[in-house]
C-alpha cells in the first residue's frame, strides 16, 4: 500500500509517497461457539471482509482532506486507490479495518448458530517491529476522527475486483449479507 502521512514528525513520511507491506490481524470474540464449535468460521472471512481488506493491497490511499492536486494525481496515475476520511497512518488503518469488519459482521445473517460475534481488536503491522492496534472504544473516539461508510471511497478498479462489485454500496444501504 502506498501513502503519505501528512502532519507527522518524519519529513520523509509527510512529504513523499512511500509504501509498506502491511499485515493485518483481525481478532474476534463471542460468548458462545457456533454448531461447529467455532467463534466464526474462517471460511466466512474469505468473503466480504477479505475483499474489503484486499482493496488496500497495491493501492494508493489518501486522506480526502489532502491537497487536491495530490488526490487528483493519485486518481490519475493509479487504477487502485482508496479515499479515506482520516489520514492513512497505521493507527488509522487499524481503525478503518476494525470499522469495516464490524460493519460487515453487523450486516451478516448468520446461519450456523453463531453467537454475539464481534470484533475484539485489529492489529496493523506496518513493519516487522512497528504496529498499531485498535479496540472498540477507538472507533467512536471523535478526537481520532469520525468513521462513516459513506466517507470511504474505492476506485472503480478496486470495486471491479470484488466478488460482488456492488458489495460496498449494499453495506452502506444496510442490505444483509448471507
Amino acid at each position: 500500500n502506498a501513502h503519505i502521512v501528512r502532519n507527522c514528525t518524519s519529513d520523509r513520511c509527510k512529504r513523499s509517497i512511500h509504501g509498506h507491506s502491511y499485515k493485518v490481524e483481525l481478532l474476534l470474540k463471542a460468548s458462545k461457539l457456533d454448531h461447529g464449535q467455532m467463534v466464526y468460521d474462517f471460511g466466512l472471512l474469505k468473503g466480504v471482509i477479505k475483499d474489503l481488506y484486499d482493496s488496500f493491497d497495491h493501492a494508493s490511499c489518501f486522506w480526502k482532506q489532502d491537497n487536491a492536486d495530490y488526490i487528483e494525481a493519485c486518481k490519475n496515475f493509479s487504477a487502485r486507490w482508496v479515499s479515506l476520511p482520516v489520514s492513512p497512518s497505521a493507527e488509522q488503518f487499524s481503525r478503518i479495518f476494525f470499522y469495516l469488519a464490524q460493519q460487515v459482521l453487523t450486516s451478516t445473517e448468520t446461519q450456523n448458530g453463531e453467537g454475539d460475534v464481534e470484533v475484539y481488536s485489529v492489529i496493523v503491522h506496518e513493519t516487522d517491529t512497528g504496529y498499531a492496534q485498535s479496540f472498540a472504544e477507538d472507533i467512536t473516539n471523535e478526537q481520532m476522527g469520525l468513521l462513516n461508510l459513506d466517507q470511504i471511497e474505492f476506485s472503480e478498479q478496486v470495486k471491479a475486483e470484488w466478488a460482488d462489485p456492488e458489495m460496498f454500496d449494499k453495506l452502506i444501504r444496510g442490505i444483509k449479507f448471507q
Side-chain angles (χ1 to χ4, degrees):
N1 183 276
H3 65 165
I4 291 179
V5 182
R6 300 292 186 197
N7 304 318
C8 69
T9 304
S10 170
D11 196 51
R12 286 183 177 180
C13 291
K14 71 182 174 187
R15 290 151 100 27
S16 298
I17 298 171
H18 62 285
H20 303 278
S21 293
Y22 292 97
K23 292 181 184 175
V24 178
E25 294 183 56
L26 171 63
L27 290 79
L28 303 177
K29 68 178 182 174
S31 62
K32 75 172 209 153
L33 302 177
D34 68 9
H35 298 311
Q37 300 295 297
M38 296 183 266
V39 168
Y40 198 75
D41 191 320
F42 288 146
L44 298 174
L45 295 174
K46 293 179 182 174
V48 176
I49 292 175
K50 180 188 178 294
D51 275 353
L52 285 172
Y53 283 18
D54 189 58
S55 300
F56 293 82
D57 185 36
H58 286 81
S60 295
C61 289
F62 53 84
W63 181 20
K64 64 183 239 163
Q65 293 182 21
D66 207 316
N67 176 283
D69 291 335
Y70 170 67
I71 291 171
E72 193 61 31
C74 287
K75 290 180 175 183
N76 285 334
F77 294 103
S78 180
R80 294 179 54 80
W81 54 263
V82 182
S83 175
L84 300 170
V86 291
S87 183
S89 64
E91 291 78 3
Q92 293 292 17
F93 278 140
S94 70
R95 293 180 70 234
I96 292 284
F97 290 137
F98 187 114
Y99 179 69
L100 290 172
Q102 179 184 56
Q103 296 302 305
V104 171
L105 288 174
T106 301
S107 297
T108 299
E109 290 182 10
T110 57
Q111 300 175 9
N112 195 31
E114 292 88 354
D116 51 348
V117 181
E118 56 186 272
V119 179
Y120 172 72
S121 177
V122 169
I123 302 170
V124 172
H125 298 266
E126 189 171 86
T127 65
D128 288 339
T129 58
Y131 67 90
Q133 183 172 13
S134 63
F135 297 92
E137 60 268 19
D138 300 322
I139 305 312
T140 57
N141 184 332
E142 290 184 28
Q143 291 181 338
M144 292 185 184
L146 294 176
L147 299 177
N148 293 304
L149 290 175
D150 60 357
Q151 296 287 313
I152 301 169
E153 183 183 0
F154 297 97
S155 71
E156 291 303 315
Q157 179 64 40
V158 168
K159 293 190 276 189
E161 295 176 15
W162 294 336
D164 176 3
E166 301 294 319
M167 160 190 70
F168 195 67
D169 292 329
K170 290 176 182 176
L171 188 62
I172 290 173
R173 293 193 320 261
I175 296 173
K176 293 283 188 180
F177 297 104
Q178 295 292 319

